[in-house]
Amino acid sequence: MTNIAFIGLGIMGSPMAIHLAKAGHEVVGFNRTPEKTRPLVEAGGRAAESIADAVADAEVVCVMVPDSPDVTDVLAGEGGVFDSAKSGTLIIDFSSIRPDVTTQLAEQAAARGMRLLDAPVSGGEAGAKNAALSIMVGGEAEDFAAAKPFFDIVGKTVVHVGPSGSGQTVKAANQLIVAANIEALAEAVVFLEAYGVDTTAALEVLGGGLAGSKVLDQKKQNMLDRSFDPGFRIELHHKDLGIVTAAAREAGVVAPLGGLVAQLMASALANGDGGLDHSALLRGVERLSGRTQP
Ligand code: NAP
């Protein structure tokens, strides 16, 4: 059994930490808003009052916070993981952040004798709750091998995709594909409704053909019901599309659809939908079509 610290017990981090605790590991959770540690404690984990307290005895430190500045704060900030963890600690960053930031943090970790893997995930809240995440891992092969047993507890498809930062690059590609899919599904729903088609029947048959997708399976009901509780928040997907468009530009490649859907995601944020699930891209299609519902 391994001593694991888990920092960031939000929509994704909480169920992941609970799976690790239920698998028999000693899991100490830290969350900025302390109440969110309760489900982990009920599942047999312990709540820490600071990052330093959480990581003091940890062999493995997992991080699941929103964005690049947050991961930088948690790892390299005063009283953060680099200040407080033991040399040799294996740090697994599950957050989706900029690949270049990950690479810099991995170098800082190595300078302190620690090891950092970037291990962003896909599969949404359902994937986290069902321990069925896809995990795309960047870093050293031996660190990946050491972390694999923990990945297997929270994920189903776990792949080492290359050196430090590669996991984040693959995740950026993932977010491009997902956003474009959601936008296309949203446009199809509004289009079908405009023709008075039975959308439930339509999405059932579309789901069985080439138009079928996990996005369709997982997001169709949100769209049909106009029920946009997150899930994956628009503001987080906006962050990810910023990563995609900047990284594509740096690499000298173009992603026209990525650019377009990034604008539509930004519009959703500007219209006050940042806290809604990303399936609420549908609301943007309705706004553009003059079909806003009360
Ligand atoms: P979330 O529910 O907002 O949880 C984020 C957690 O990070 C919260 O517990 C928050 O604490 C904590 N946090 C935020 N800023 C912090 C800081 N500066 N220092 C310390 N703690 C901080 O977000 P989430 O949906 O779990 O997403 C987490 C990461 O997973 C993101 O990178 C996201 O892009 C990625 N992701 C999400 C999904 C999804 O479907 N939700 C799917 C795949 C990947 P408080 O409780 O105090 O706010």
Side-chain angles (χ1 to χ4, degrees), residues 11-12 31-33 36 64-66 70 96 232-233 239:
I11 287 177
M12 299 296 282
N31 198 71
R32 200 176 52 177
T33 309
K36 289 192 195 163
M64 191 46 146
V65 295
D70 306 313
S96 309
F232 186 64
R233 295 195 304 279
K239 171 235 350 167

Side-chain angles (χ1 to χ4, degrees), residues 18 21-22 35 37-47:
I18 287 171
K22 287 193 170 160
E35 301 84 77
T37 56
R38 199 174 307 133
L40 173 63
V41 170
E42 282 166 10
R46 177 169 83 76

Side-chain angles (χ1 to χ4, degrees), residues 232-255:
F232 186 64
R233 295 195 304 279
I234 294 263
E235 62 194 4
L236 290 175
H237 214 147
H238 174 68
K239 171 235 350 167
D240 291 337
L241 292 174
I243 294 171
V244 175
T245 47
R249 186 183 160 91
E250 272 163 40
V253 297
V254 295

